[in-house]
Amino acid sequence: MPVQVAHADTYSDLVNAQNSQQASAQRESELRSQLAGVSSDLADTIVQLDDLTNNKIPAAQQKVSQANAAAAAAKSEADNAAERLKAAQKDKSDLEAKIKQTGEDYDDAHAAVAQMARESMHGSDTSDVMSVMTGATDTKEFIQSMQSRDALSRNEANAASDAADDLSTSMNRGERLKAIEQKIAKLKADADTKSAAAQSAAESAQQERDALNKLRTDGENQRTALEGRKSELSDAAAQEAAQQVILQSQLDSLNEQWAAEQEAAAQQVQQVTPQGTTRPAGTTTTTPAQPSTPSQPAQPVTPSQPAQPSTPSQPSRPVTPSGGSSGGQGTSNGDYGNAYAAGQCTWWAYERRKQMGIGTPSYLGNGGDWWRNAPSYGLRTDHTPQVGAALSFLPGQEGASSPWGHVAVVESVGSNSITISESNVAGLYTITYRTLYNPGRFWYVH
């Protein structure tokens, strides 16, 4: 019996899980300390919504991403198996047509090599015997010529045999047809297995998506219930804690809405080209299709910051490391030097923006809080990427830690992608780069 393969999480996965659990426990402890004196059922409601937003939904999102990737891989394998089956079926069809023409005992390998030998040594089939008959001056020369011709035939036969061994064509057509039919049977079984696996993976992915949608529905219901009970909170610290939990839940909904709008825009059936012609969605264009309605969600309101008016989406001029124009980016407000933990993502974001000539406040908090805290210092925040902007990842977004989030710096902007630099993804002080797509789903601090 074959030995069953054992699967286990890597040490880094276990460490990450432990760190996430510890961070979650610490977050709950801090939240409950802010809710001291609040009725237990209301405090539980706030903590449950916070856990749903910052832990359960990000974990479910990760499962959906993994399930989608597994489904795509299984679909690719199934398609490849189907193509191999199709190619084998064509080989069978072509061979059956040849059998109808010249029979199933015809030796294709010998015929091909013999033909090449004749053409290379005699120039044509008809010149063979005629050159021997008319060119001989006596009987002895004629016999020698015929013996040489026999030797050539033997060479042709040997060469055909060698070619048949190398090309696996030593079987006659009938035998080859049976071999192809056996191959088709195996390929058919393989294609059916992979197709079933792809179907199963697709169903698993759908189950994960349904579970994520249910969590989001639960979050909306809990948020609505909590908003209706805010009047029960008399303590300022408890009010601020509840409002922050509500805003984070709203932010998840807004980002989900943003992602849905971007996907709908990308799936538009046709796009109009500059020449006035149309082409199917998915073909390369200079400018991606945009939704017919504004995609940018309204910015949520923090307790200390009133709602901001909508800002134009046109990006400012990119900054350069040499300290050129900042294009309306940065501020001197609250910039007292790099006060962030050395080597962390926040430390690098401050340092890199400083290299670009962009001022950054020294106390914007965790990476996932930059988008929320930056407006109080006069910084612009929106969903429009710009070189030099700080990308403030939400907790769990693109692998960002829960509950602290993450922050990076935009190095370049493409038509539908950005390249970022970041620290502490691979270790303290280790700067890495990656490319992200559909950049409008992120928050940027300018």
Side-chain angles (χ1 to χ4, degrees):
M1 293 291 292
V3 178
Q4 185 175 0
V5 178
H7 298 278
D9 291 333
T10 63
Y11 178 73
S12 60
D13 290 336
L14 295 175
V15 171
N16 290 337
Q18 291 172 349
N19 291 340
S20 179
Q21 185 177 8
Q22 291 174 358
S24 177
Q26 181 180 350
R27 182 184 181 86
E28 181 179 346
S29 176
E30 293 174 353
L31 185 57
R32 286 195 178 276
S33 67
Q34 290 179 285
L35 298 173
V38 177
S39 62
S40 59
D41 65 321
L42 181 54
D44 288 343
T45 299
I46 296 173
V47 170
Q48 287 170 6
L49 179 57
D50 182 76
D51 180 57
L52 190 65
T53 302
N54 292 297
N55 296 319
K56 292 181 179 178
I57 287 179
Q61 286 177 319
Q62 185 175 10
K63 287 185 177 180
V64 167
S65 298
Q66 293 172 346
N68 286 342
K75 178 67 165 57
S76 177
E77 289 187 7
D79 290 344
N80 291 337
E83 287 297 324
R84 290 192 294 269
L85 175 60
K86 183 178 179 181
Q89 289 171 335
K90 185 179 184 303
D91 289 343
K92 177 185 176 184
S93 177
D94 292 344
L95 186 55
E96 287 175 335
K98 290 181 179 180
I99 289 175
K100 287 182 179 179
Q101 292 176 352
T102 52
E104 65 178 16
D105 293 326
Y106 189 82
D107 194 334
D108 293 288
H110 177 273
V113 177
Q115 178 66 20
M116 286 191 299
R118 280 193 293 270
E119 291 178 354
S120 63
M121 298 193 69
H122 299 288
S124 69
D125 295 337
T126 57
S127 65
D128 185 5
V129 178
M130 291 300 296
S131 64
V132 175
M133 294 290 291
T134 59
T137 56
D138 53 30
T139 303
K140 182 178 180 180
E141 185 178 350
F142 174 75
I143 293 174
Q144 289 176 343
S145 297
M146 292 302 294
Q147 287 174 339
S148 298
R149 188 171 178 276
D150 289 339
L152 174 61
S153 296
R154 288 193 299 274
N155 289 335
E156 290 175 352
N158 292 336
S161 179
D162 292 340
D165 291 338
D166 292 340
L167 303 175
S168 298
T169 56
S170 59
M171 298 176 289
N172 62 32
R173 285 177 171 175
E175 292 170 331
R176 285 162 55 199
L177 183 60
K178 291 179 182 178
I180 290 177
E181 289 173 344
Q182 292 175 354
K183 181 179 180 181
I184 287 176
K186 292 180 180 179
L187 290 174
K188 177 72 166 59
D190 183 55
D192 290 343
T193 299
K194 288 196 166 44
S195 177
Q199 179 64 28
S200 176
E203 292 173 356
S204 296
Q206 185 59 53
Q207 291 174 359
E208 296 295 349
R209 288 192 292 271
D210 291 342
L212 174 59
N213 291 334
K214 184 179 183 304
L215 287 176
R216 284 205 161 102
T217 300
D218 292 344
E220 292 175 2
N221 294 335
Q222 291 184 23
R223 185 173 70 248
T224 301
L226 179 56
E227 287 175 338
R229 300 186 63 182
K230 285 194 300 182
S231 59
E232 300 178 26
L233 300 170
S234 57
D235 183 74
Q239 290 176 352
E240 182 178 354
Q243 181 65 12
Q244 188 175 45
V245 170
I246 289 174
L247 287 176
Q248 288 177 335
S249 178
Q250 289 174 334
L251 184 60
D252 176 74
S253 297
L254 290 173
N255 276 276
E256 176 64 13
Q257 175 187 348
W258 173 264
E261 290 172 350
Q262 291 296 303
E263 182 178 359
Q267 292 179 351
Q268 286 183 344
V269 178
Q270 288 187 336
Q271 300 172 351
V272 179
T273 65
Q275 291 77 18
T277 57
T278 59
R279 61 179 140 197
T283 54
T284 302
T285 56
T286 303
T287 304
Q290 298 294 327
S292 57
T293 58
S295 301
Q296 182 172 336
Q299 298 186 20
V301 186
T302 63
S304 59
Q305 179 69 16
Q308 298 182 18
S310 59
T311 55
S313 59
Q314 181 176 356
S316 306
R317 281 190 298 167
V319 297
T320 59
S322 59
S325 172
S326 66
Q329 290 177 292
T331 179
S332 58
N333 296 333
D335 186 355
Y336 307 107
N338 196 339
Y340 299 99
Q344 294 282 355
C345 61
T346 48
W347 168 86
W348 169 250
Y350 179 96
E351 199 67 24
R352 178 61 178 140
R353 280 164 60 89
K354 181 180 179 181
Q355 294 173 5
M356 294 177 163
I358 306 173
T360 305
S362 303
Y363 300 99
L364 289 177
N366 299 314
D369 296 326
W370 279 35
W371 70 271
R372 181 188 298 107
N373 297 330
S376 63
Y377 292 93
L379 288 172
R380 175 169 51 95
T381 60
D382 55 30
H383 290 286
T384 303
Q386 180 181 0
V387 173
L391 194 169
S392 182
F393 291 93
L394 307 178
Q397 191 177 32
E398 290 291 332
S401 68
S402 294
W404 315 123
H406 183 56
V407 68
V409 177
V410 178
E411 298 289 340
S412 65
V413 179
S415 61
N416 192 36
S417 66
I418 55 173
T419 298
I420 60 173
S421 65
E422 53 196 340
S423 181
N424 201 30
V425 171
L428 290 175
Y429 297 102
T430 301
I431 311 304
T432 54
Y433 298 83
R434 57 175 162 158
T435 299
L436 302 173
Y437 298 91
N438 298 322
R441 57 199 170 98
F442 302 111
W443 281 101
Y444 299 95
V445 176
H446 297 284

